[in-house]
Amino acid sequence: MPKEKNEQFSSTGKFLNTIIEMSPFAMWISDTQGNIIKTNRTLRDTIQLNDEEIVGNYNVLKDVNLEKQGVMPMVKAVFTKLETARFSIPWIGANAGTSDLEKARDMFIDVAMFPILSDKGELTNVVCQWADISKYKQAEEDLKKSEIKLRLVLDATPFPIAVVDVEDNNILYWSRSAHELFGHTAPTASEWYEIAYPDPDYRNEVIERWKDVLVKARETRKPENTGVYRVTCANGTERLCELYATFLDENLIVTFNDITKRIKTAKAVKASEIKFRTLYESMAQGVTYQNSKGEIIDANPAALRILGLTFEQMIGRSSTDNSWHSIHEDGSEFPGDSHPSIKALKTGKQINDVEMGVYNPIEQTYRWIKIDAIPQFKNGEKKPYQVFSTFDDITAEKKAAFLLKENEERYIKAQQLGKVGNWEYNLQTTHFWGSEEARRIFGFSPDADDFTTEFVEDCIPDRKRVHQALVDLIEQNKTYNLIYEVHPKNGGPSRMANSIAEVIMDEQGNPLKVIGVIQDVTERIEREKEIKNYQKSLQDLTTEISLVEEKHRKQIAANIHDHLSQSLVISRMKLSDLQKEAQNEKFLAEIQSVIGHISSALENSRKITYELSPPILYELGLVETMYWLLEKISEEYKIETEFITEIEELPLSESQLILVFRIIQEVINNTIKHAYAKKIKIHFKAISGGLDIVVSDDGKGFDVKQLSRVNVYKSGFGLFAVKERVQNLKGNFSIHSNTGEGTEVKIFVPLISN
């Protein structure tokens, strides 16, 4: 040993040196930096290295084994925190941190490390003790492997198993199937009795039954059947188990055989027999058994009720008996040898879904039944010994089918009369279906196989628009309501069709199919064209009448102005001259009275002239006429008026000018007569190439909903005439009013000269 290391070690005393050297445990001593300065004989023998190969070459703080096993923090704490350390790790010489220790023997070691302190409490050395536990570890691993194999075998068995130490009452092992079956286990037999047999009385009974069985099992060393027990599971249910007990050394092996299903099955079979008989007696379906001769040997109550016979009348009767009065659906006789049960006996094959009409003598009418006949064979025999027949009463179904067929015929007839068909397009299968009327509209025969989307679209000249509308319906759920021309496939005259459709979605909102209706609207569209032409002619006539009326008004006004008014003016002038020459006061008074009457007549003629055809309308236009009209109304009826205009000049033809003026005049007249308004307001505004006119008042108002039923203002043609004139101008007309809130009339007239 080097001199400096020996001197360092000598400070711990010769006594410690002797103890370490003679210790049966492998030991070493390090300095405060982790360098080994002393080893004992046991350590050198254990790792099969000499002192020179270890001392000065091995530093415990650089041992890779300690790092890999995660114990290095504990080791460092011995040096830094003066704590003790205890751990077990696999130690490999190649990982010791120096090439001199690579040839050291690998082993599994149990390690204890503690610090050596000076009188001042300072670290002087660290002592480490090794114990080679490689053999113990190997034995432990072998034992674990053996236990694992045993557990795998026990866990693989479907029967729950428990291993009990009878001396201390502990349960050493529960198989996996025990956990799965019962849902709970216990560490001791006493605790198991508590949870498996919660009823105290039954628990005591179980314990008493086990006493004798345990004695016998210990003696025979063979599995003993201890009987059947009700074992309570974790979820509160009970399992019926046969328990077997056997001893292996001093341990008790308990095996549970779950017979719950077997017991329940036996009970279920018995219950099934009862249920079968109950079902046989109470089922709505008729059932009969016939022997090999075709004679009825049993029948349930439903069969008796359906056929209208008693049990005594049924038993012994064969299907070939002519008294059955059986018929086919077309009313022809159903021969006895063709009955399903007889055919099943003859052929040995099952006969299904045969429909037959059988006369019911109680109801004195035919009952329709659907029969299944099943031959039955004894083991090893090829010829049936009996036949089992069931039949359903389908009388109601037959009646419903007849009504359905009748309704279908009515439906088809209704579609033909209304020229309305329906169609359906399945988006999953791309199948396209159409009713007979839908096929007729497109020129297909009712039973045609080529009624597909491709052939239908070939009949539509505007197929691109129609197809896109269908795509928009499916992808965006847009409204599908189209009118398009159809060129029938059979070459018939073209038609106009109106098709409406909607898309059907699944629960996730995905489109499934499109359903629609299609109507032949050729005649309707022709009639609508005729009506439109008639309406156009009527509008033109109405406009013409209005213009002729206005022309006559203008002519009358001109005649009054040019003749009557002029004559009155001249008469008044001459009378004025006579008045100057007359000397008789009585005569002067008479002349003055006549002049007054002439002046009044002249004023009335001027008023009549303006009312018939105001000259200002033709000379200065609509805007100035509105100012004149509202001023006249204000003076005459003492109603406050207001006129607001955002337009100074209106590009209207003379006919438009006249119609617009008469429209406004009619609305104002209605207001004066019926609204009891204190104020009338007119507003002109130019919007979208037209004139927007708003006439409002603060009168009593009315319920607009009543317009369609009564003439609100009761003034001749009233608002109907106004609306017609606006439509003649290609304009729009609307009324907004509520009772007690006044009225607002909106009129829009396009500013386009005719």
Side-chain angles (χ1 to χ4, degrees):
M1 180 182 298
K3 182 178 180 181
E4 61 274 11
K5 289 187 173 66
N6 189 44
E7 290 174 354
Q8 186 177 2
F9 176 68
S10 64
S11 64
T12 61
K14 292 182 179 181
F15 180 73
L16 179 60
N17 182 50
T18 302
I19 291 175
I20 291 174
E21 184 65 29
M22 299 303 294
S23 173
F25 299 102
M27 298 181 67
W28 52 253
I29 300 175
S30 77
D31 58 18
T32 58
Q33 303 302 315
N35 297 307
I36 304 303
I37 60 175
K38 174 65 178 177
T39 65
N40 70 350
R41 183 180 64 242
T42 306
L43 175 67
R44 294 189 293 274
D45 292 343
T46 300
I47 64 177
Q48 299 176 353
L49 294 175
N50 57 44
D51 203 45
E52 287 74 14
E53 291 174 312
I54 303 172
V55 176
N57 293 320
Y58 177 65
N59 187 311
V60 66
L61 296 175
K62 297 180 181 179
D63 193 331
V64 178
N65 291 295
L66 305 181
E67 289 285 357
K68 287 187 174 182
Q69 299 303 321
V71 297
M72 184 59 80
M74 297 171 57
V75 175
K76 289 182 178 179
V78 177
F79 287 88
T80 58
K81 299 180 180 179
L82 307 182
E83 297 176 352
T84 59
R86 181 69 185 267
F87 52 85
S88 298
I89 62 169
W91 189 86
I92 301 172
N95 294 335
T98 174
S99 59
D100 291 325
L101 270 68
E102 289 182 356
K103 56 185 178 179
R105 183 170 67 86
D106 299 337
M107 66 194 80
F108 209 102
I109 59 175
D110 185 35
V111 182
M113 295 179 66
F114 51 91
I116 302 297
L117 307 178
S118 66
D119 294 339
K120 296 180 180 180
E122 297 176 348
L123 180 68
T124 59
N125 299 94
V126 173
V127 177
C128 177
Q129 177 181 290
W130 283 12
D132 183 4
I133 59 173
S134 300
K135 292 182 180 179
Y136 299 108
K137 278 292 179 181
Q138 185 61 46
E140 188 180 77
E141 290 296 323
D142 292 343
L143 181 59
K144 284 184 178 180
K145 290 179 181 179
S146 177
E147 289 180 353
I148 290 172
K149 288 181 180 179
L150 179 59
R151 285 178 178 273
L152 289 173
V153 171
L154 294 177
D155 285 342
T157 177
F159 301 100
I161 295 174
V163 179
V164 185
D165 185 343
V166 294
E167 295 299 326
D168 57 12
N169 204 32
N170 290 326
I171 300 179
L172 306 176
Y173 168 77
W174 284 99
S175 67
R176 182 176 62 190
S177 54
H179 291 275
E180 293 174 349
L181 179 62
F182 303 127
H184 58 195
T185 56
T188 67
S190 300
E191 292 177 78
W192 173 249
Y193 282 129
E194 291 285 341
I195 63 175
Y197 312 109
D199 179 22
D201 294 335
Y202 185 62
R203 185 189 314 138
N204 292 332
E205 179 187 332
V206 172
I207 293 172
E208 289 298 320
R209 289 171 63 184
W210 266 86
K211 288 180 180 179
D212 294 337
V213 174
L214 289 177
V215 173
K216 186 176 181 181
R218 191 187 293 274
E219 291 175 353
T220 62
R221 296 286 168 169
K222 294 180 180 179
E224 295 292 336
N225 188 336
T226 68
V228 178
Y229 299 84
R230 301 192 309 271
V231 181
T232 301
C233 301
N235 60 8
T237 61
E238 289 186 346
R239 309 295 298 186
L240 296 173
C241 296
E242 285 181 333
L243 268 64
Y244 294 85
T246 185
F247 275 90
L248 180 64
D249 295 331
E250 292 305 312
N251 291 329
L252 174 64
I253 311 298
V254 181
T255 304
F256 298 78
N257 180 22
D258 182 14
I259 61 172
T260 307
K261 188 175 182 180
R262 188 176 73 193
I263 297 296
K264 287 183 177 180
T265 301
K267 291 181 179 179
V269 169
K270 186 175 181 180
S272 178
E273 291 176 353
I274 296 173
K275 286 181 180 179
F276 173 77
R277 191 66 199 178
T278 303
L279 177 64
Y280 177 76
E281 297 291 339
S282 61
M283 64 190 298
Q285 194 177 40
V287 180
T288 61
Y289 285 90
Q290 293 169 261
N291 59 22
S292 58
K293 297 179 181 179
E295 298 169 339
I296 297 174
I297 56 177
D298 195 9
N300 73 340
L304 305 178
R305 174 180 53 81
I306 294 171
L307 299 176
L309 299 173
T310 64
F311 186 78
E312 290 72 18
Q313 291 172 325
M314 286 277 286
I315 300 304
R317 182 184 285 193
S318 172
S319 296
T320 57
D321 192 326
N322 292 329
S323 62
W324 286 112
H325 301 295
S326 304
I327 60 172
H328 287 287
E329 190 171 7
D330 60 1
S332 60
E333 182 185 356
F334 204 124
D337 56 2
S338 297
H339 281 216
S341 56
I342 301 301
K343 291 180 69 175
L345 286 171
K346 288 180 179 179
T347 62
K349 295 180 180 179
Q350 183 171 325
I351 309 297
N352 293 324
D353 300 330
V354 176
E355 294 185 2
M356 176 191 300
V358 181
Y359 187 76
N360 184 310
I362 295 177
E363 298 177 357
Q364 295 185 352
T365 185
Y366 278 91
R367 282 274 184 175
W368 288 95
I369 57 176
K370 180 182 285 188
I371 309 170
D372 292 329
I374 305 168
Q376 296 183 314
F377 303 85
K378 292 181 179 179
N379 290 335
E381 295 184 0
K382 295 182 179 180
K383 188 175 181 180
Y385 74 98
Q386 68 177 17
V387 61
F388 167 72
S389 299
T390 63
F391 49 90
D392 293 300
D393 185 350
I394 60 171
T395 307
E397 294 177 18
K398 281 290 184 181
K399 290 181 178 178
F402 173 78
L403 291 175
L404 178 61
K405 184 178 180 181
E406 191 176 59
N407 288 335
E408 285 180 349
E409 291 174 352
R410 290 173 179 171
Y411 171 70
I412 292 172
K413 190 64 178 178
Q415 285 200 341
Q416 291 174 349
L417 293 174
K419 297 184 178 179
V420 178
N422 57 305
W423 55 271
E424 182 176 305
Y425 179 50
N426 190 311
L427 299 174
Q428 311 300 315
T429 63
T430 69
H431 176 69
F432 187 70
W433 171 87
S435 66
E436 287 189 12
E437 185 60 18
R439 292 167 180 256
R440 184 200 66 78
I441 292 173
F442 285 100
F444 288 77
S445 62
D447 55 351
D449 294 330
D450 56 350
F451 191 70
T452 63
T453 53
E454 293 79 10
F455 284 108
V456 168
E457 287 186 348
D458 285 343
C459 299
I460 305 172
D462 196 7
R463 63 179 63 86
K464 185 175 181 180
R465 177 175 68 93
V466 175
H467 181 80
Q468 186 59 48
L470 183 61
V471 172
D472 292 343
L473 169 66
I474 297 168
E475 296 181 353
Q476 305 176 39
N477 201 24
K478 287 188 175 181
T479 301
Y480 183 96
N481 188 343
L482 304 177
I483 294 178
Y484 50 81
E485 186 179 3
V486 174
H487 291 176
K489 183 176 180 294
N490 58 13
S494 62
R495 301 187 178 99
M496 295 301 296
N498 181 196
S499 185
I500 301 174
E502 65 179 29
V503 64
I504 304 299
M505 306 287 189
D506 61 14
E507 294 179 355
Q508 288 72 40
N510 301 314
L512 288 177
K513 60 182 178 180
V514 178
I515 60 173
V517 295
I518 184 167
Q519 182 179 15
D520 186 346
V521 294
T522 307
E523 293 180 3
R524 189 191 80 189
I525 289 178
E526 289 297 327
R527 287 195 300 271
E528 287 176 354
K529 287 181 180 179
E530 292 176 1
I531 292 172
K532 285 181 180 179
N533 291 334
Y534 173 75
Q535 288 176 337
K536 178 64 169 59
S537 299
L538 185 60
Q539 287 176 354
D540 292 344
L541 178 60
T542 304
T543 302
E544 185 65 28
I545 291 173
S546 297
L547 294 177
V548 169
E549 179 186 358
E550 193 65 31
K551 183 178 179 181
H552 288 166
R553 283 170 173 265
K554 192 174 181 182
Q555 288 176 351
I556 294 171
N559 286 333
I560 292 173
H561 179 271
D562 294 343
H563 301 289
L564 179 59
S565 295
Q566 292 297 326
S567 298
L568 289 172
V569 169
I570 293 170
S571 297
R572 188 176 63 179
M573 289 174 64
K574 288 185 176 183
L575 284 172
S576 295
D577 291 341
L578 289 173
Q579 185 181 22
K580 292 177 182 179
E581 297 176 0
Q583 299 299 321
N584 188 312
E585 290 187 5
K586 184 178 180 181
F587 182 64
L588 284 172
E590 290 294 330
I591 292 175
Q592 185 63 37
S593 175
V594 172
I595 291 174
H597 284 300
I598 292 173
S599 297
S600 177
L602 186 61
E603 181 61 28
N604 285 332
S605 68
R606 187 180 296 110
K607 183 179 179 181
I608 292 172
T609 299
Y610 269 83
E611 288 181 352
L612 285 172
S613 181
I616 191 173
L617 179 65
Y618 303 100
E619 295 171 3
L620 299 180
L622 184 63
V623 173
E624 293 299 326
T625 305
M626 287 298 104
Y627 283 115
W628 165 80
L629 179 62
L630 291 181
E631 183 180 355
K632 174 177 172 292
I633 290 171
S634 181
E635 292 176 357
E636 186 173 347
Y637 298 101
K638 307 305 178 183
I639 298 175
E640 182 183 352
T641 61
E642 182 181 1
F643 176 53
I644 301 173
T645 179
E646 300 176 17
I647 305 173
E648 295 301 327
E649 295 184 4
L650 298 173
L652 296 172
S653 66
E654 183 175 326
S655 60
Q656 290 175 317
L657 182 66
I658 294 168
L659 290 175
V660 171
F661 173 72
R662 293 304 179 190
I663 289 169
I664 298 172
Q665 188 180 44
E666 182 67 31
V667 172
I668 292 175
N669 288 339
N670 285 338
T671 301
I672 293 171
K673 292 178 182 178
H674 308 288
Y676 300 101
K678 295 180 180 179
K679 182 177 180 178
I680 298 175
K681 180 180 178 180
I682 300 177
H683 187 184
F684 282 7
K685 183 179 180 181
I687 57 169
S688 303
L691 173 62
D692 192 30
I693 304 170
V694 179
V695 181
S696 58
D697 65 66
D698 60 355
K700 65 179 183 180
F702 60 92
D703 186 358
V704 178
K705 296 178 182 177
Q706 301 297 320
L707 277 178
S708 60
R709 282 174 277 181
V710 297
N711 188 337
V712 177
Y713 290 139
K714 302 178 182 177
S715 55
F717 288 112
L719 295 178
F720 173 78
V722 172
K723 186 175 181 180
E724 285 296 310
R725 286 173 176 170
V726 173
Q727 289 179 346
N728 289 349
L729 291 171
K730 305 296 188 295
N732 296 322
F733 174 82
S734 63
I735 299 176
H736 305 276
S737 181
N738 285 308
T739 303
E741 297 181 6
T743 303
E744 182 181 79
V745 178
K746 290 186 177 181
I747 303 164
F748 174 76
V749 179
L751 291 178
I752 301 174
S753 299
N754 288 336

